Amino acid sequence: MAIDTANASPAGHPDDRAIIGPGYTFGSVTEKISAIVLTRRVPRFWWVGFGIAFLLVMMLNYALAYLLLKGVGIWGINVPVGWGFAIVNFVWWIGIGHAGTLISAILLLLRQKWRTSINRFAEAMTLFAVACAGIFPLMHMGRPWFFYWLTPYPNTMGLWPQFRSPLVWDVFAVSTYATVSLLFWFVGLIPDLATLRDRTNNRVARVVYGILAMGWRGSARHWHRYETAYLILAGLATPLVVSVHTVVSFDFAVAIVPGWHSTIFPPYFVAGAIYSGFAMVLTLSIPIRYLYGLEDFITSRHLQNMGKIMLATGLMVAYGYGMEAFEAFYSGNPFIEYLQLNRMMGAFAPFYWALIFCNIITPQALWFRAVRTRPILLWCVAMVVNVGMWLERFVIVVVSLSRDYVPSSWGEYRGTVWDWATYIGTIGLFLCLVFLFVRFLPLISIFEMRTLLPEAHVPEAPLPAAAGTPVPQEVK
């Protein structure tokens, strides 16, 4: 979509329909994005933010080292609640990683050009979230050095892996998702890595970017192969958006536990994953947009579109909550009915009503254009949704396990300081990776932003007719 008078106000400022500010050229777009990595001085806020995130990573390392020394008993899990923060945080992080693939793959196939400003760091966010998610089931195993038991290696006795275990399904689904997402992200980076290679004055950086650019020279053959590979990877990644969190939902849906054994879980979990993923994209993009002065690239239209998608998926999640309550009271099953009442009025009732407030009531503000066009308000809504989606996973896991079929097996669960240290530490790891990504790689796709400029859509001039060749007359 080229920026013309339909996309800019008479004063020359972009309006809500613009996906790039006016007045840019190929050179200015390249310079503005690459300067963040190559020539601009590292700002003070980057050092402060990275320092805080690095301290949280050190806390994570200490918590994991102590866990390996003492065992999973340092967590709050017990006999009735065998799954605690580990699975809650695993599902939460996997959900956050969904928006990157949705923005990059599905919106690419649908030819939505507004994705170009946000797809790069959304894809990176996917990889970082999956890396954080993988820590929890690995540590939850108790003996993580036997993780290879989950892989389909040749086994004469047929003991491992146990394909009826949802944990094995997760390994297949998440590893496939991570692999395709990594390839998709890296292939999209190749032209921009070549740009950084050619523009940097640092010899070491030139060598590193040159190796990563894999000999890119921008020839017609390179572009043809690039576009083919990128489209194939987009087609592979699209079904993964649905399949990965569907498989994660099977962790619960295949278990005969009140509140889990429900067919609504697969679509409900997929919608919730996209919901929380876009909330995290907004959580990151709004500060990045402000701190690096990228308001002309991440415009009001991007924020509005992401707000609308959050609103749509939030309504789907609200429908899932309503179906859970309807099923509980309409089914006549006393166990499921008691579970729903326990969620509403039991020991964990504050968590349930907090998630209703965060995930259903607060996002209704997105109906109003004034909220969607004000970055600070949109950022606040996104942060509330992030909290609400974590509470949702906590209620699903803990409340169901703490009140099972047999009252004598009931028990309470509270996360210990080590649960919180591990969880907050993974947030630090996620932010630390984001800071490094912003510092050393272009956070917005340079060549895709250039395709939005008017110069990229100038029609080719007709070739001059050869001597003696009759020129076709215009049809009257």
Side-chain angles (χ1 to χ4, degrees), residues 73-119:
I74 65 173
W75 287 348
I77 54 177
N78 48 49
V79 172
V81 187
W83 288 3
F85 266 38
I87 305 302
V88 171
N89 298 331
F90 167 73
V91 179
W92 188 72
W93 279 118
I94 290 295
I96 285 175
H98 265 56
T101 307
L102 176 72
I103 292 172
S104 299
I106 296 180
L107 296 184
L108 172 67
L109 297 178
L110 294 178
R111 301 182 183 275
Q112 296 296 311
K113 294 187 177 181
W114 63 270
R115 61 175 280 281
T116 56
S117 297
I118 58 176
N119 68 321

Side-chain angles (χ1 to χ4, degrees), residues 325-350:
F326 174 79
E327 178 186 355
F329 295 115
Y330 184 75
S331 65
N333 188 319
F335 301 103
I336 302 178
E337 183 178 351
Y338 173 77
L339 172 74
Q340 188 64 31
L341 291 173
N342 185 47
R343 285 181 177 179
M344 294 178 174
M345 298 179 288
F348 294 100

Side-chain angles (χ1 to χ4, degrees), residues 134-150:
I135 294 174
F136 292 100
L138 187 65
M139 293 297 107
H140 191 265
M141 292 173 62
R143 293 183 290 176
W145 48 90
F146 289 137
F147 71 93
Y148 62 90
W149 284 2
L150 299 174

Side-chain angles (χ1 to χ4, degrees), residues 307-363:
K308 291 175 183 178
I309 293 177
M310 273 185 58
L311 177 61
T313 52
L315 293 175
M316 296 178 191
V317 170
Y319 174 79
Y321 295 159
M323 285 302 298
E324 280 188 313
F326 174 79
E327 178 186 355
F329 295 115
Y330 184 75
S331 65
N333 188 319
F335 301 103
I336 302 178
E337 183 178 351
Y338 173 77
L339 172 74
Q340 188 64 31
L341 291 173
N342 185 47
R343 285 181 177 179
M344 294 178 174
M345 298 179 288
F348 294 100
F351 294 91
Y352 179 79
W353 294 113
L355 81 88
I356 295 296
F357 172 78
C358 293
N359 292 346
I360 297 181
I361 298 176
T362 301

Side-chain angles (χ1 to χ4, degrees), residues 191-390:
D192 289 353
L193 290 171
T195 299
L196 297 182
R197 174 200 64 198
D198 297 337
R199 295 176 68 92
T200 183
N201 296 321
N202 186 294
R203 182 178 179 84
V204 176
R206 185 181 301 113
V207 171
V208 173
Y209 289 135
I211 293 173
L212 294 177
M214 302 178 69
W216 178 272
R217 287 293 180 268
S219 65
R221 178 180 295 178
H222 286 180
W223 278 112
H224 173 71
R225 291 176 176 175
Y226 166 82
E227 291 175 355
T228 302
Y230 204 55
L231 196 61
I232 291 174
L233 289 172
L236 291 174
T238 298
L240 289 176
V241 176
V242 178
S243 65
V244 171
H245 226 61
T246 298
V247 172
V248 171
S249 74
F250 288 164
D251 293 354
F252 307 96
V254 299
I256 312 299
V257 175
W260 288 5
H261 195 61
S262 174
T263 55
I264 194 65
F265 267 39
Y268 165 40
F269 268 52
V270 171
I274 298 173
Y275 187 37
S276 60
F278 268 91
M280 185 58 74
V281 171
L282 283 170
T283 303
L284 295 178
S285 62
I286 291 175
I288 288 175
R289 175 180 185 263
Y290 171 75
L291 293 172
Y292 284 100
L294 298 173
E295 289 86 353
D296 284 344
F297 290 170
I298 306 175
T299 66
S300 178
R301 178 175 174 183
H302 295 93
L303 302 183
Q304 283 207 69
N305 287 349
M306 288 190 282
K308 291 175 183 178
I309 293 177
M310 273 185 58
L311 177 61
T313 52
L315 293 175
M316 296 178 191
V317 170
Y319 174 79
Y321 295 159
M323 285 302 298
E324 280 188 313
F326 174 79
E327 178 186 355
F329 295 115
Y330 184 75
S331 65
N333 188 319
F335 301 103
I336 302 178
E337 183 178 351
Y338 173 77
L339 172 74
Q340 188 64 31
L341 291 173
N342 185 47
R343 285 181 177 179
M344 294 178 174
M345 298 179 288
F348 294 100
F351 294 91
Y352 179 79
W353 294 113
L355 81 88
I356 295 296
F357 172 78
C358 293
N359 292 346
I360 297 181
I361 298 176
T362 301
Q364 301 311 309
L366 297 174
W367 285 103
F368 302 100
R369 184 174 177 275
V371 176
R372 299 196 305 269
T373 55
R374 285 176 171 79
I376 184 63
L377 296 180
L378 195 57
W379 188 84
C380 291
V381 172
M383 285 297 295
V384 171
V385 170
N386 286 327
V387 174
M389 292 307 296
W390 187 89

Side-chain angles (χ1 to χ4, degrees), residues 152-184:
Y153 67 94
N155 186 356
T156 304
M157 302 302 294
L159 296 176
W160 303 103
Q162 173 55 273
F163 287 101
R164 289 177 292 180
S165 170
L167 182 60
V168 177
W169 308 346
D170 287 340
V171 170
F172 277 86
V174 175
S175 60
T176 304
Y177 181 65
T179 302
V180 174
S181 298
L182 177 62
L183 289 174
F184 194 50

